[in-house]
Amino acid sequence: MKKTTLIFLAVSVLAVLATLLLLPSRPREPVYDGEKLSYWMQHWNRGMYGEQLMVNLSAKAAVQEAGTNALPFLMKWMKTPVRWSTDVNNPSWALHGFEGLGPSAKSAVPELVVLLGQKGSGNYPSFALAYIGKDAVPALTNLLGTNLNWRVRSSAYEALTYVGTNAESALPCLLICLKYAPARQDGRSAIV
């Protein structure tokens, strides 16, 4: 009886250990100065200087130290819609992270492009792509050349305007889009 119980316990312990080893572990939220990344995103702004918001330098340092390890969390927050005014504005947190990472977040471009024009995503993905800069331009021009959904195209145009002069390489694509844009009933171009 004792031997059977010991064997059962040993097998149970081994099964639990095997399960824990085989289950994929979720990435841990990056920590900076003893606080998680979400804390720093919540405390991104440290106050106002006149009419301008001042960025908390520790929050910016937290994002930069986390680097691309922050991207899974930024994308998770970017995809979390704000339903009520009392909800945490997770997309805003994600946007702060993309602002801090800038071009080093270019591996998130494909995922951000998918979010363009989706209901509930607002213009957060457009701004995030603008913070990434010129590395986002090829994906945006490809989207304009292949996607006919007006909402998605509008978001892609918006993102290119936010990229500004770094989007110069998109000019040939934009000229083609302008030339072949279907006319609306009132005779104006359908380009949004």
Side-chain angles (χ1 to χ4, degrees):
M1 179 76 175
K2 247 183 183 182
K3 190 175 183 180
T4 308
T5 305
L6 287 174
I7 292 173
F8 178 73
L9 282 174
V11 168
S12 298
V13 167
L14 287 174
V16 168
L17 288 174
T19 303
L20 290 175
L21 290 174
L22 295 176
L23 284 177
S25 62
R26 282 193 271 166
R28 289 190 169 177
E29 195 172 323
V31 175
Y32 176 79
D33 201 20
E35 299 291 346
K36 291 182 178 180
L37 183 63
S38 54
Y39 169 85
W40 292 113
M41 295 304 91
Q42 186 177 8
H43 295 90
W44 184 259
N45 297 319
R46 68 178 179 103
M48 298 283 285
Y49 181 75
E51 292 185 17
Q52 186 174 359
L53 284 171
M54 295 174 57
V55 174
N56 181 345
L57 296 178
S58 295
K60 196 167 188 173
V63 171
Q64 290 170 343
E65 185 172 299
T68 56
N69 292 332
L71 290 178
F73 301 96
L74 299 180
M75 289 309 303
K76 176 183 157 195
W77 296 334
M78 184 66 73
K79 294 174 184 176
T80 306
V82 179
R83 292 185 179 9
W84 303 98
S85 61
T86 56
D87 286 353
V88 172
N89 191 343
N90 287 316
S92 179
W93 287 7
L95 202 53
H96 296 322
F98 283 106
E99 180 182 351
L101 289 176
S104 64
K106 67 182 174 184
S107 63
V109 168
E111 228 176 322
L112 287 167
V113 166
V114 168
L115 291 177
L116 287 175
Q118 284 190 4
K119 192 172 184 176
S121 67
N123 60 357
Y124 290 107
S126 299
F127 279 119
L129 289 162
Y131 284 130
I132 293 169
K134 65 182 178 183
D135 291 326
V137 173
L140 291 167
T141 55
N142 182 50
L143 183 73
L144 289 172
T146 59
N147 194 310
L148 297 178
N149 181 310
W150 71 269
R151 182 176 279 133
V152 173
R153 291 175 67 84
S154 175
S155 294
Y157 289 129
E158 178 182 43
L160 285 170
T161 63
Y162 296 151
V163 173
T165 57
N166 288 328
E168 185 179 338
S169 62
L171 199 52
C173 175
L174 292 173
L175 290 172
I176 290 171
C177 289
L178 185 60
K179 183 176 181 179
Y180 294 107
R184 298 186 331 186
Q185 288 180 350
D186 60 6
R188 296 187 342 214
S189 172
I191 289 184
V192 181

